[in-house]
Amino acid sequence: MHQFDAETADLLRAIFDFAGIRLGFDPVPLDGPVTPAELSARAGRTITVDGIGGRRALETFDEVLSRACVSADHPRNLAFIPAAPTRSSVLFDLVVGASSIYAGSWMEGAGAVHAENEALRWLADLAGFPAAAGGVFVPGGTVGNLSALVAARHAVRARLAAAGRPMPARWRFVCGAEAHSSLYQAATVLDADVVAVPTGEEGRLTGPLLAAALDDLAGQRDSAGQRDSAGQSDSVGQGDSVGHDGVFAVVATAGTTQFGIVDDLRGVVDVCRDRGLWVHADGAYGLAALAAPSVRPLFDGIADVDSFIVDPHKWLFAPFDACALIYRDPALARAAHGPQRAGYLDVLDSAANWNPSDYAIGLSRRARGLPFWFSLATHGTRAYAEAVETTLATTRAAAAQIAARPELELVRPAELSVVVFRRLGWGGADYHRWSDRLLREGLAFVPPTRHDGETVARFAIVNPRTTPADIEAILDTMT
């Protein structure tokens, strides 16, 4: 099973042929799901006592299983937040798998970690972070947000302990009402509460809204009579209310999934600096736009947050799965997450070398940042800026086409590369029938979304191969 023999060589050729054909599709087939019963009948039993052989397993994947998956990189896949990996990044993903690299420690994966850190450095520079900043590639935004919040709470605990102050009865963090659902998952794991600040029609968390919410939390505490033994407020003075009211962090969203809205990062940072609170920016989708000069002003304040995430597998043209988690002060993250403790791990020199497992949840990790690094190294950062700008131009064209059609109406202006709109006169069932027909016919994947109780249509444009003509072809079907 582990030897390289004639059968393995034959399978190698077959897999290379499959990968070459898939990479050569232009465009790729959209494909789509089938029922569990249909899939079971078509695939048959694949896990057997003696095995079915590599050729047959590959044929089953090629002819049955892969065709029951929607291609994330199709130019008319505008659902959720799709993907558009470069050919070079996909090819290098094959290399990463074949290289069998453990990338949790410098000792075992120094070369891979060095390359990943160079890619992280480019992202940190885009954000204006200091030279000492650093982080790690984790599987996705959920793990990235959770790891950052673990570091934030650990930092607060350390400061409270150093000041001789008690820990709050309940921890919580603050975010805007449009924040991603992964934050609620993180809160469950942390056994903490989420304080979601209403953001109104704008959907943007601003400095004034945040300040009012924090003041309200303080007022709730005071009215409950939470005083120390000297009858004084629990605060240690203006400029350091860390741990005050159990709040240990504020999460700003740098590009919401639903609309692509960027929170008032500057205002949020200023409020948090006055109160000694950690600011984390969830830019899983939107912070890729830092590569595009035309929209960089939207992110004023990002240079002053304490941590941020951005997923290269979304709008930075890498394959699944890779989320870049970057800290302004990595030492605070390492204090929370590392070093990993076990007798057999004592040989890892965490003081002198960069061990990625010290900066996020998890010890075992593949070098998931390498395909992104390879694509950056291959094409250069200018190509990345041009590709993101291309998607933004297509977004503007899409919004203009919608505005020009009397039967369509924008729900709100597009800010990044998400366009949400309604077809006048349609109800929820109409949108779902339309979406199902597009996928069934192989034209596009555009599932509807819900906003304020209304079913509407939504485009998420992150593929530079998506053109205004693609948008026109989809809109022409909304008759």
Side-chain angles (χ1 to χ4, degrees):
M1 189 167 72
H2 288 85
Q3 62 194 18
F4 191 95
D5 54 15
E7 185 177 352
T8 307
D10 178 64
L11 182 58
L12 175 68
R13 289 189 292 271
I15 287 176
F16 279 0
D17 287 344
F18 170 83
I21 291 171
R22 177 59 173 78
L23 287 169
F25 282 138
D26 189 17
V28 300
L30 185 59
D31 295 325
V34 297
T35 67
E38 289 176 302
L39 201 53
S40 294
R42 294 179 192 176
R45 178 166 294 187
T46 59
I47 306 299
T48 65
V49 172
D50 295 315
I52 63 174
R55 277 278 185 175
R56 183 179 164 194
L58 181 61
E59 288 170 0
T60 302
F61 178 78
D62 180 13
E63 298 172 5
V64 179
L65 303 178
S66 70
R67 302 182 192 200
C69 303
V70 177
S71 297
D73 54 343
H74 192 284
R76 290 192 295 276
N77 182 341
L78 307 178
F80 313 113
I81 302 292
T86 62
R87 265 53 173 187
S88 60
S89 68
V90 173
L91 286 169
F92 204 74
D93 208 25
L94 295 174
V95 174
V96 173
S99 298
S100 194
I101 297 170
Y102 169 69
S105 74
W106 184 267
M107 173 182 283
E108 296 172 271
V113 174
H114 173 85
E116 286 187 317
N117 284 350
E118 188 173 3
L120 291 169
R121 185 66 255 167
W122 178 64
L123 295 171
D125 286 343
L126 284 180
F129 264 30
V136 59
F137 286 99
V138 296
T142 298
V143 175
N145 284 334
L146 175 59
S147 297
L149 289 168
V150 167
R153 187 170 67 176
H154 187 276
V156 169
R157 282 173 167 163
R159 289 174 63 183
L160 288 176
R165 294 171 55 193
M167 302 294 164
R170 187 75 181 167
W171 291 105
R172 49 190 171 181
F173 61 87
V174 180
C175 61
E178 295 293 321
H180 194 265
S181 60
S182 65
L183 294 176
Y184 294 85
Q185 292 180 302
T188 299
V189 175
L190 289 164
D191 191 25
D193 296 327
V194 179
V195 179
V197 179
T199 51
E201 292 184 3
E202 287 298 311
R204 176 178 286 105
L205 179 63
T206 65
L209 287 173
L210 174 61
L214 293 172
D215 289 343
D216 184 58
L217 292 173
Q220 293 174 19
R221 180 216 61 217
D222 291 341
S223 66
Q226 295 179 0
R227 304 286 175 166
D228 63 22
S229 58
Q232 299 299 314
S233 170
D234 189 40
S235 175
V236 295
Q238 186 176 5
D240 190 2
S241 57
V242 60
H244 201 42
D245 310 308
V247 176
F248 65 90
V250 173
V251 181
T253 302
T256 63
T257 303
Q258 178 81 310
F259 283 106
I261 298 167
V262 180
D263 283 345
D264 171 21
L265 298 176
R266 170 55 57 201
V268 169
V269 165
D270 288 346
V271 169
C272 290
R273 287 292 167 264
D274 287 343
R275 301 170 188 242
L277 292 172
W278 182 294
V279 185
H280 172 66
D282 177 1
Y285 149 64
L287 274 177
L290 284 172
S294 68
V295 293
R296 198 171 295 160
L298 293 173
F299 303 97
D300 177 40
I302 190 65
D304 297 315
V305 304
D306 296 287
S307 57
F308 71 83
I309 63 164
V310 58
D311 290 355
H313 66 236
K314 289 187 168 72
W315 201 6
L316 286 174
F317 321 123
F320 295 106
D321 53 4
C323 167
L325 165 60
I326 302 180
Y327 302 95
R328 165 178 296 281
D329 183 354
L332 296 176
R334 184 175 174 275
H337 292 288
Q340 299 279 342
R341 304 188 186 284
Y344 65 92
L345 295 176
D346 287 348
V347 295
L348 302 181
D349 188 351
S350 295
N353 295 319
W354 191 274
N355 296 321
S357 62
D358 288 345
Y359 299 94
I361 293 166
L363 177 60
S364 298
R365 68 178 298 270
R366 73 191 300 267
R368 58 176 40 85
L370 283 186
F372 176 51
W373 161 81
F374 185 78
S375 186
L376 277 171
T378 298
H379 302 291
T381 60
R382 182 185 297 110
Y384 270 72
E386 292 171 352
V388 176
E389 291 285 15
T390 295
T391 61
L392 291 168
T394 300
T395 303
R396 291 191 289 270
Q401 289 186 36
I402 291 165
R405 293 174 180 248
E407 73 277 14
L408 303 179
E409 180 179 75
L410 288 168
V411 174
R412 61 168 291 133
E415 189 162 308
L416 291 177
S417 68
V418 175
V419 185
V420 181
F421 61 102
R422 60 176 59 90
R423 180 14 171 121
L424 299 178
W426 275 15
D430 299 303
Y431 286 99
H432 286 283
R433 281 194 295 269
W434 167 73
S435 175
D436 291 344
R437 178 168 59 86
L438 290 182
L439 183 57
R440 186 172 59 251
E441 295 175 354
L443 177 65
F445 185 37
V446 192
T449 188
R450 296 275 291 174
H451 173 64
D452 286 346
E454 177 190 9
T455 301
V456 290
R458 175 182 172 277
F459 293 157
I461 302 169
V462 299
N463 192 332
R465 303 299 299 277
T466 304
T467 67
D470 290 317
I471 301 299
E472 182 178 15
I474 295 170
L475 295 179
D476 283 344
T477 66
M478 300 186 82
T479 56

